[in-house]
Amino acid sequence: MRSHLYLLILFAILTVSCTSTDLQKEFSCGSSTYSNLSETKDIRNLFSVRLPETWKVNLYYDDGQSSIYAADTTLNLTKTTLIDVSYIHASIFFDADFKQKFSADNKNMGLEEVKSKEIKHLDKNAYLSLAQGKKGKYKYHILNVFTKVDNDNFLHTKTEFYGDSLVNERICKAVNLIEKIEIK
């Protein structure tokens, strides 16, 4: 009887520790993560994100948004990840018009949409889009995640990857950062 209880407890622990978010499932991300993270808050204290301590961080705000932009500037552009998280004071709807406009914008920039899907992010309705193409002389990937915070605000998380070096690993590491965003 005791062994059944231990097995049940072990199963419960494994189930909880192995759960993946919608975003992680979309990219089959394992445990690729950055280390030495520190919390960065936007100027208006609307959200925060945990970023590597060595990254260069810029904060921005105006009447319509508050943003955190960060990148590892110690690496070459084709080996780093650029992330821009913006809390935008506007409503958003993931309807056919939004999806069509977003897809058209990608095409206008010469990008091919690889993946787009409605998901849950931070326990809220969200939309993700991964597109690829060329920007300048480099191969280019961009992952956009739009998260509806409430009826009047949304979060836009944009991650950019130049070059073709370890793109999947950089995407997974970025996804793990995106999962660490906290809305205040």
Side-chain angles (χ1 to χ4, degrees), residues 22 26 99 113 115-119 126-130:
D22 284 358
E26 285 302 315
K99 294 172 187 175
E113 203 162 52
K115 182 180 294 204
S116 61
K117 185 174 185 179
E118 287 189 55
I119 61 168
Y127 181 80
L128 78 83
S129 169
L130 176 65

Short mmCIF file of all heavy atoms in Angstrom, two decimals, residues 22 26 99 113 115-119 126-130:
data_model
loop_
_atom_site.label_atom_id
_atom_site.label_comp_id
_atom_site.label_asym_id
_atom_site.label_seq_id
_atom_site.Cartn_x
_atom_site.Cartn_y
_atom_site.Cartn_z
N ASP A 22 1.61 26.81 -23.58
CA ASP A 22 1.26 26.76 -25.00
C ASP A 22 2.43 27.19 -25.87
O ASP A 22 2.72 26.60 -26.90
CB ASP A 22 0.05 27.66 -25.30
CG ASP A 22 -1.27 27.08 -24.83
OD1 ASP A 22 -1.27 25.95 -24.31
OD2 ASP A 22 -2.30 27.76 -25.01
N GLU A 26 4.52 24.93 -28.68
CA GLU A 26 4.57 25.30 -30.09
C GLU A 26 5.97 25.17 -30.67
O GLU A 26 6.14 24.94 -31.87
CB GLU A 26 4.07 26.73 -30.31
CG GLU A 26 2.58 26.86 -30.20
CD GLU A 26 1.82 25.99 -31.18
OE1 GLU A 26 2.19 25.93 -32.38
OE2 GLU A 26 0.85 25.35 -30.75
N LYS A 99 -5.67 39.12 -38.19
CA LYS A 99 -4.78 38.09 -38.73
C LYS A 99 -4.41 38.38 -40.18
O LYS A 99 -3.25 38.23 -40.57
CB LYS A 99 -5.45 36.72 -38.61
CG LYS A 99 -5.62 36.28 -37.17
CD LYS A 99 -6.45 35.01 -37.07
CE LYS A 99 -6.76 34.69 -35.62
NZ LYS A 99 -7.65 33.56 -35.48
N GLU A 113 5.36 33.72 -43.33
CA GLU A 113 4.85 33.30 -42.03
C GLU A 113 5.00 31.79 -41.92
O GLU A 113 4.46 31.04 -42.72
CB GLU A 113 3.39 33.72 -41.87
CG GLU A 113 2.96 33.82 -40.45
CD GLU A 113 1.70 34.65 -40.30
OE1 GLU A 113 0.72 34.38 -41.01
OE2 GLU A 113 1.71 35.56 -39.47
N LYS A 115 4.53 30.12 -38.82
CA LYS A 115 3.57 29.63 -37.84
C LYS A 115 2.77 30.80 -37.31
O LYS A 115 3.32 31.86 -37.04
CB LYS A 115 4.34 28.96 -36.69
CG LYS A 115 3.51 28.35 -35.62
CD LYS A 115 4.37 27.72 -34.54
CE LYS A 115 5.11 26.54 -35.11
NZ LYS A 115 5.52 25.56 -34.13
N SER A 116 1.47 30.59 -37.18
CA SER A 116 0.62 31.59 -36.52
C SER A 116 -0.52 30.85 -35.86
O SER A 116 -1.04 29.89 -36.41
CB SER A 116 0.10 32.63 -37.52
OG SER A 116 -0.67 32.01 -38.51
N LYS A 117 -0.87 31.30 -34.66
CA LYS A 117 -1.85 30.54 -33.91
C LYS A 117 -2.33 31.34 -32.70
O LYS A 117 -1.56 32.08 -32.10
CB LYS A 117 -1.21 29.23 -33.42
CG LYS A 117 -2.13 28.29 -32.73
CD LYS A 117 -1.41 26.99 -32.43
CE LYS A 117 -2.38 26.00 -31.83
NZ LYS A 117 -1.76 24.73 -31.53
N GLU A 118 -3.58 31.16 -32.34
CA GLU A 118 -4.09 31.70 -31.08
C GLU A 118 -3.70 30.73 -29.97
O GLU A 118 -3.83 29.51 -30.12
CB GLU A 118 -5.60 31.87 -31.13
CG GLU A 118 -6.03 33.04 -32.00
CD GLU A 118 -7.51 33.36 -31.89
OE1 GLU A 118 -7.99 33.57 -30.76
OE2 GLU A 118 -8.14 33.38 -32.96
N ILE A 119 -3.21 31.29 -28.88
CA ILE A 119 -2.76 30.49 -27.74
C ILE A 119 -3.18 31.18 -26.44
O ILE A 119 -3.77 32.24 -26.47
CB ILE A 119 -1.22 30.31 -27.74
CG1 ILE A 119 -0.52 31.68 -27.63
CG2 ILE A 119 -0.75 29.54 -28.96
CD1 ILE A 119 0.96 31.61 -27.34
N ALA A 126 -4.03 35.08 -26.47
CA ALA A 126 -2.85 35.58 -27.14
C ALA A 126 -2.79 35.06 -28.57
O ALA A 126 -3.51 34.13 -28.95
CB ALA A 126 -1.59 35.18 -26.38
N TYR A 127 -1.93 35.68 -29.35
CA TYR A 127 -1.72 35.29 -30.74
C TYR A 127 -0.21 35.31 -30.99
O TYR A 127 0.47 36.27 -30.65
CB TYR A 127 -2.41 36.28 -31.67
CG TYR A 127 -2.27 35.96 -33.13
CD1 TYR A 127 -3.06 35.00 -33.73
CD2 TYR A 127 -1.34 36.63 -33.92
CE1 TYR A 127 -2.93 34.70 -35.08
CE2 TYR A 127 -1.21 36.35 -35.27
CZ TYR A 127 -2.00 35.39 -35.84
OH TYR A 127 -1.87 35.09 -37.18
N LEU A 128 0.28 34.22 -31.58
CA LEU A 128 1.71 34.17 -31.90
C LEU A 128 1.89 34.08 -33.41
O LEU A 128 1.06 33.52 -34.13
CB LEU A 128 2.41 33.01 -31.21
CG LEU A 128 2.27 31.59 -31.75
CD1 LEU A 128 3.24 31.31 -32.88
CD2 LEU A 128 2.53 30.61 -30.64
N SER A 129 2.99 34.65 -33.85
CA SER A 129 3.37 34.57 -35.26
C SER A 129 4.88 34.45 -35.35
O SER A 129 5.61 35.24 -34.75
CB SER A 129 2.92 35.82 -36.02
OG SER A 129 3.50 35.85 -37.31
N LEU A 130 5.35 33.45 -36.08
CA LEU A 130 6.77 33.30 -36.38
C LEU A 130 6.91 33.45 -37.88
O LEU A 130 6.24 32.77 -38.66
CB LEU A 130 7.29 31.93 -35.94
CG LEU A 130 8.75 31.63 -36.30
CD1 LEU A 130 9.69 32.58 -35.56
CD2 LEU A 130 9.10 30.18 -35.99
#
